[in-house]
Amino acid sequence: MHLMIPHASALGEAATQALQTLNLPRLAELLGRLEPVAQLGSDEYALQLPHELALARLWGWPTETPPALAVAQARADGIAVGEWAWALLTPLHLSVGSDQVTALDPAALALNEAESRAFFEALAWLFPAEEGWQRAWGAPGRWYVAHADLAGLVSASLDRVINRNVDPWMPEARRLRTLQNELQMALHGHALNDAREARGALPLNSVWISGCGLALPQTPQPELRLDERLREPLLAQDWAAWAEAWVALDAGPVAEALERVRAGQPLRLTLAGERLAREFAPRAPATGLGGLWQRLAGPRPAAVLPLLEAL
């Protein structure tokens, strides 16, 4: 079993205060029985989130370059990716304020399948097959395009921009900037958006492009348990809900992982924040008098707060 918990920590005063309220006794005991074996990530300005790099490593992908996460998600949506370079297009609403442009959570659009497909087809002319484009609809909030030009293009992950100022995260590649501008212009004043605004819904006025890269083989991870329950409250900056989700994690999957370690079964735990992802594994048994004392006294619980704050 490999338990991976993304969005386990966050930066900022409100997040720090929420962290200080957490009481996670099972995580403390579990970490006391484990030791760090790997670390990925750098800082909060990296385009990819640390848990995305951790996933790429598990799949056997290089982590020195941004992982082609669009390919992984397309495969999960049942799309035959072939050997092409893909990008994930996420329909969303950009809210224009007096001092910044904020990307709202794509869920705020509440797109159903029929409406999403209608928008997807309305934008098809921007991706002509005669110019080498492939298109695939994955879900109401996930569209895909493939083209040779998308190989090697770098863009920020969607979770870096949700409910944040998009300006620092705009793609540097001219190809992606041009494509994003074309999508926004095509959506401006579109009849489908006129219908949405007439019923009081947010217009779909932009598309975030992310996860660009060539399709690579993926090593299956049947034992991986990716628990993303912290994602939604963290991105919404609902710290009370985020803390409640952590408590539920501690009582559920973390408690299960602890029981496995107590029983001597193999386990991997990955905790990921905005800067780092750290992987843990059971400690090797100590030998000699120190090992005897450790067995008699039992493992000491770890200090959870400093560990989470460092992620």
Side-chain angles (χ1 to χ4, degrees), residues 233-251:
L234 183 144
L235 294 179
Q237 299 181 39
D238 185 344
W239 301 112
W242 181 78
E244 289 177 6
W246 243 130
V247 171
L249 263 171
D250 192 64

Side-chain angles (χ1 to χ4, degrees), residues 48-288:
Q48 272 65 49
L49 287 139
H51 78 272
E52 295 171 337
L53 297 177
L55 285 170
R57 186 173 66 84
L58 289 177
W59 294 330
W61 292 0
T63 56
E64 298 79 16
T65 55
L69 296 173
V71 168
Q73 187 62 67
R75 284 186 176 128
D77 282 333
I79 294 166
V81 298
E83 298 180 353
W84 301 309
W86 289 86
L88 171 63
L89 307 185
T90 305
L92 50 73
H93 177 83
L94 295 182
S95 176
V96 180
S98 58
D99 58 350
Q100 69 177 46
V101 178
T102 303
L104 301 189
D105 190 329
L109 290 173
L111 283 176
N112 59 34
E113 179 174 343
E115 192 174 25
S116 174
R117 287 186 181 275
F119 272 108
F120 185 61
E121 294 305 321
L123 299 171
W125 63 274
L126 290 170
F127 309 100
E130 59 271 19
E131 294 182 10
W133 287 96
Q134 302 279 341
R135 298 185 311 118
W137 186 93
R142 293 190 299 275
W143 307 338
Y144 303 94
V145 293
H147 194 277
D149 287 354
L150 296 173
L153 297 185
V154 179
S155 55
S157 297
L158 175 67
D159 285 2
R160 286 297 197 198
V161 302
I162 291 178
N163 293 325
R164 292 180 173 181
N165 180 6
V166 300
D167 187 62
W169 304 105
M170 291 296 289
E172 293 185 6
R174 181 179 298 179
R175 188 74 165 102
L176 293 184
R177 278 185 175 268
T178 299
L179 181 56
Q180 190 167 41
N181 288 336
E182 289 174 345
L183 287 162
Q184 289 176 177
M185 288 188 290
L187 289 165
H188 179 70
H190 197 281
L192 289 168
N193 270 324
D194 291 342
R196 286 182 61 84
E197 292 186 271
R199 66 173 191 267
L202 287 171
L204 193 172
N205 62 8
S206 189
V207 174
W208 193 256
I209 307 169
S210 64
C212 303
L214 285 166
L216 295 173
Q218 252 176 278
T219 303
Q221 296 295 318
E223 299 300 319
L224 176 64
R225 183 171 179 181
L226 179 64
D227 198 308
E228 297 191 275
R229 74 183 71 191
L230 298 173
R231 176 182 181 270
E232 185 175 341
L234 183 144
L235 294 179
Q237 299 181 39
D238 185 344
W239 301 112
W242 181 78
E244 289 177 6
W246 243 130
V247 171
L249 263 171
D250 192 64
V254 172
E256 180 184 341
L258 176 58
E259 289 303 316
R260 291 179 64 91
V261 174
R262 285 172 175 168
Q265 298 177 9
L267 178 85
R268 286 290 189 272
L269 171 69
T270 296
L271 299 175
E274 290 196 59
R275 296 175 291 195
L276 299 173
R278 299 184 72 188
E279 183 180 334
F280 301 84
R283 295 181 184 275
T287 58

